[in-house]
Amino acid sequence: MSDRLEWAGATSEAQLLLPGTDVDGAVVQAGELAVAVWTGSNGIALHGPREQLHARLLQLAHAVQEAPPVPLTDACISQQARPELWRPGPLTAPVDPGEPEPALCGGTTSPVAADPRLATCPHCIEQWNNGQPHTRLMLAHPIPARP
């Protein structure tokens, strides 16, 4: 597994690649299709037999559909937040950050998220997650390899 990502926007050009297509030395194998999403001069491709590729794309589409609300603006976590006491409740809609107050990401001018799960500051999220014991803020949610 690689820890490097190629970023492709939702409006990036995409192509369906049929068996025999050779892109940059990688050939789509017989019995497989590939979906390539271009990032400019590079791209990413998801490949496999038609049924598996279809199921995987549906699974990914479902994961996007069911994803929790996302922050509307950049926001930090309050310095007064107590990770060991915080328990996540339902998060049904994005909440705008509250008034500026001392924040883990520094300064008093940074808006503070009404719920720590709506923070966008990597530094303050890492600081929150390093506190013990508490409920970690999970920013990456795995999607199983098989649909």
Side-chain angles (χ1 to χ4, degrees):
M1 184 168 103
S2 173
D3 61 353
R4 297 190 52 101
L5 297 175
E6 287 285 340
W7 291 88
T11 59
S12 297
E13 177 188 346
Q15 291 179 310
L16 177 66
L17 305 177
L18 302 175
T21 304
D22 184 340
V23 178
D24 203 20
V27 177
V28 179
Q29 299 299 315
E32 292 190 346
L33 297 173
V35 173
V37 180
W38 300 102
T39 62
S41 60
N42 294 317
I44 58 173
L46 185 63
H47 69 95
R50 178 189 303 266
E51 293 76 22
Q52 287 181 2
L53 184 60
H54 180 254
R56 183 64 170 167
L57 290 170
L58 286 177
Q59 179 191 29
L60 297 174
H62 179 74
V64 169
Q65 182 69 33
E66 297 300 314
V70 296
L72 299 174
T73 59
D74 289 332
C76 298
I77 300 173
S78 169
Q79 288 180 359
Q80 285 81 33
R82 304 273 311 272
E84 69 277 9
L85 299 178
W86 181 77
R87 299 290 179 267
L91 183 61
T92 57
V95 180
D96 287 327
E99 293 298 316
E101 61 179 75
L104 293 178
C105 53
T108 57
T109 58
S110 300
V112 171
D115 185 309
R117 290 171 293 178
L118 295 173
T120 58
C121 164
H123 170 72
C124 68
I125 293 168
E126 181 181 353
Q127 190 171 342
W128 171 280
N129 283 342
N130 286 337
Q132 294 291 335
H134 69 285
T135 302
R136 291 177 58 84
L137 299 179
M138 301 302 294
L139 300 180
H141 299 271
I143 299 172
R146 298 261 180 213

